[in-house]
Amino acid sequence: MVDSFSTPEDGAHGLAWDGTYLWNSDITTNKIYKLTITGDILDSFNSPGTYPAGLDFDGTNLWLIDTHPTSGYRVYKITITGDVIDSFDSPGNTPRGIAWDGTNLWVSDIDQDKIYRITTSGDVIDSFNSPGPAPHGLAWDGTYLWNADFINKKIYKIDVSENQPPYTPENSSPSDGATDVGLDPILNVDVSDPDGDSMDVTFYDAIDDSVIGTDNNVVSGTTASVTWYGLSY
């Protein structure tokens, strides 16, 4: 720990950094506070909802999760002076954390035990089960999503990158129409994957799509091989 200071009030919940100042949402006062890094209050304004929880900054505006039934479990986009630009329903019934990844928003929900990726208009792109039973705070570091779990008392580093399909195999051999090929030929093909993942490469008989064999855990950028036994003239 490098430093610490008291929160403005007892109900401190969400926390965001704008590059210069900290922003803190408080569920007891229903306010959002602008703070120096030593804890001095520079400004504050009323939250648009009654239970301001998760908070993040997108480079221009703040994104706020409100998680109380009377407020309708909503996501708010607000200016740094508190004006509401937009709002929409949260994808889950009990949202807690929110994070901005530069394009989309991530929202954690403790009732569904899920983490949602949503557009800035509230459309759900996808979701996955949270690693813990009570996902709360979220943060984005430019590559990974970080999630604090209330029950497990753990912080999880989550890889949310989309896995891409392998590239089309190249340089297959023997080539079509090849001659002087034995009855137990070795089949080769060069394979690569955009994510750099290893692959299980299966070879098929083009006549009936039956499996000839599989080369497992082939490193991206190398050659997969199987032997085709039992051919006859």
Side-chain angles (χ1 to χ4, degrees), residues 13 22 26 40 42 50 53 73 154 165 207:
H13 212 292
L22 293 165
D26 192 280
D40 296 322
L42 299 177
T50 58
Y73 304 118
K154 289 186 177 182
I207 296 176

Short mmCIF file of all heavy atoms in Angstrom, two decimals, residues 13 22 26 40 42 50 53 73 154 165 207:
data_model
loop_
_atom_site.label_atom_id
_atom_site.label_comp_id
_atom_site.label_asym_id
_atom_site.label_seq_id
_atom_site.Cartn_x
_atom_site.Cartn_y
_atom_site.Cartn_z
N HIS A 13 -18.90 3.56 -2.71
CA HIS A 13 -19.15 2.36 -3.51
C HIS A 13 -18.29 2.34 -4.76
O HIS A 13 -17.25 1.71 -4.79
CB HIS A 13 -20.64 2.27 -3.87
CG HIS A 13 -21.14 0.87 -3.97
ND1 HIS A 13 -20.75 0.01 -4.96
CD2 HIS A 13 -22.00 0.17 -3.19
CE1 HIS A 13 -21.35 -1.16 -4.80
NE2 HIS A 13 -22.12 -1.09 -3.72
N LEU A 22 -10.05 11.51 -9.01
CA LEU A 22 -10.86 10.35 -8.68
C LEU A 22 -12.33 10.76 -8.58
O LEU A 22 -12.66 11.89 -8.19
CB LEU A 22 -10.42 9.76 -7.33
CG LEU A 22 -9.02 9.12 -7.31
CD1 LEU A 22 -8.58 8.92 -5.86
CD2 LEU A 22 -9.01 7.80 -8.05
N ASP A 26 -21.45 7.40 -3.74
CA ASP A 26 -21.78 7.10 -2.35
C ASP A 26 -23.26 6.77 -2.23
O ASP A 26 -24.12 7.55 -2.63
CB ASP A 26 -21.44 8.28 -1.45
CG ASP A 26 -21.48 7.91 0.01
OD1 ASP A 26 -22.60 7.85 0.57
OD2 ASP A 26 -20.40 7.68 0.59
N ASP A 40 -9.10 15.28 -1.09
CA ASP A 40 -9.82 16.55 -0.97
C ASP A 40 -11.01 16.56 -1.93
O ASP A 40 -10.89 16.17 -3.10
CB ASP A 40 -8.90 17.72 -1.31
CG ASP A 40 -7.75 17.85 -0.31
OD1 ASP A 40 -7.99 17.61 0.88
OD2 ASP A 40 -6.63 18.18 -0.75
N LEU A 42 -13.34 18.23 -4.41
CA LEU A 42 -13.34 19.36 -5.32
C LEU A 42 -14.75 19.75 -5.75
O LEU A 42 -15.03 20.91 -6.00
CB LEU A 42 -12.50 19.06 -6.56
CG LEU A 42 -11.02 18.74 -6.31
CD1 LEU A 42 -10.34 18.38 -7.62
CD2 LEU A 42 -10.32 19.93 -5.66
N THR A 50 -31.08 6.42 -6.95
CA THR A 50 -31.10 6.41 -5.48
C THR A 50 -30.07 5.48 -4.85
O THR A 50 -29.96 5.43 -3.65
CB THR A 50 -32.50 6.00 -4.99
OG1 THR A 50 -32.82 4.71 -5.52
CG2 THR A 50 -33.55 7.00 -5.43
N ALA A 53 -23.91 2.88 -7.61
CA ALA A 53 -22.94 1.83 -7.32
C ALA A 53 -21.73 1.95 -8.24
O ALA A 53 -20.91 2.84 -8.08
CB ALA A 53 -23.61 0.47 -7.43
N TYR A 73 -32.88 -0.18 -11.71
CA TYR A 73 -31.66 -0.88 -12.13
C TYR A 73 -31.19 -0.36 -13.48
O TYR A 73 -31.26 -1.03 -14.50
CB TYR A 73 -31.89 -2.39 -12.20
CG TYR A 73 -32.39 -2.99 -10.92
CD1 TYR A 73 -33.64 -3.62 -10.87
CD2 TYR A 73 -31.64 -2.94 -9.76
CE1 TYR A 73 -34.11 -4.18 -9.70
CE2 TYR A 73 -32.10 -3.49 -8.58
CZ TYR A 73 -33.35 -4.11 -8.55
OH TYR A 73 -33.81 -4.65 -7.40
N LYS A 154 -12.05 -12.27 -3.62
CA LYS A 154 -10.95 -12.42 -4.56
C LYS A 154 -11.09 -11.40 -5.68
O LYS A 154 -12.18 -10.91 -5.97
CB LYS A 154 -10.93 -13.83 -5.15
CG LYS A 154 -10.51 -14.92 -4.19
CD LYS A 154 -10.39 -16.25 -4.90
CE LYS A 154 -9.88 -17.34 -3.96
NZ LYS A 154 -9.71 -18.64 -4.65
N PRO A 165 -11.01 -18.10 -35.57
CA PRO A 165 -10.79 -19.42 -36.18
C PRO A 165 -9.42 -19.50 -36.84
O PRO A 165 -8.85 -18.45 -37.23
CB PRO A 165 -11.91 -19.51 -37.22
CG PRO A 165 -12.26 -18.10 -37.54
CD PRO A 165 -12.06 -17.34 -36.27
N ILE A 207 -13.54 -38.60 -50.42
CA ILE A 207 -14.58 -39.40 -51.08
C ILE A 207 -15.80 -39.55 -50.21
O ILE A 207 -16.95 -39.36 -50.66
CB ILE A 207 -14.02 -40.80 -51.46
CG1 ILE A 207 -12.91 -40.64 -52.50
CG2 ILE A 207 -15.14 -41.71 -51.98
CD1 ILE A 207 -12.23 -41.95 -52.85
#
